[in-house]
Amino acid sequence: QVQLVESGGGLVQAGGSLRLSCAASGSTFSRKAMGWYRQAPGKSREMVAALSGGGTPTYSDSVKGRFSISRDNAKNTVYLQMNDVKPEDTAVYYCASAWSLAYLGSGDWGQGTQVTVSS
């Protein structure tokens, strides 16, 4: 089982930027699909961004053009760069890992990091 530890959450003003990090354990990180999900109060968890082992990113329509997912295989870390944040981006953000994008969300999860955007 992969251990995932998120960091970088906090309070940010609307229009600002934040970068989340997710450090993964193990030696298979470079082959794993990685993703970021979020869950706002009273809402179900949704996929925000995902990155295949080969490096192809996908984004939800709500963050496309504002958020960017990337990975550093040497550091076993995946990042989520959040730009031009909006109050509706407020949520707990979770890192996820799986052997393929198709199974992302059914694999391993981090504990989550809170992002709060003030208007």
Side-chain angles (χ1 to χ4, degrees):
Q1 188 174 2
V2 175
Q3 302 290 327
L4 302 172
V5 180
E6 301 99 333
S7 60
L11 176 64
V12 60
Q13 286 190 328
S17 297
L18 206 60
R19 189 176 81 157
L20 306 183
S21 300
C22 172
S25 64
S27 60
T28 59
F29 176 81
S30 64
R31 291 183 281 152
K32 290 285 188 71
M34 301 295 298
W36 287 96
Y37 289 68
R38 67 186 181 188
Q39 187 166 19
K43 296 188 176 181
S44 57
R45 194 172 296 190
E46 63 171 351
M47 192 276 287
V48 173
L51 194 60
S52 68
T56 303
T58 57
Y59 299 95
S60 67
D61 288 342
S62 61
V63 306
K64 199 172 293 183
R66 299 188 297 120
F67 291 11
S68 177
I69 187 171
S70 62
R71 66 194 299 160
D72 185 337
N73 290 335
K75 296 182 178 180
N76 274 22
T77 301
V78 64
Y79 303 97
L80 183 69
Q81 179 66 43
M82 306 168 62
N83 297 327
D84 190 23
V85 295
K86 304 176 180 181
E88 51 264 41
D89 293 323
T90 295
V92 177
Y93 283 71
Y94 297 90
C95 178
S97 170
W99 283 109
S100 72
L101 288 174
Y103 293 101
L104 205 56
S106 303
D108 298 303
W109 291 95
Q111 82 288 351
T113 186
Q114 176 70 47
V115 172
T116 303
V117 182
S118 63
S119 57

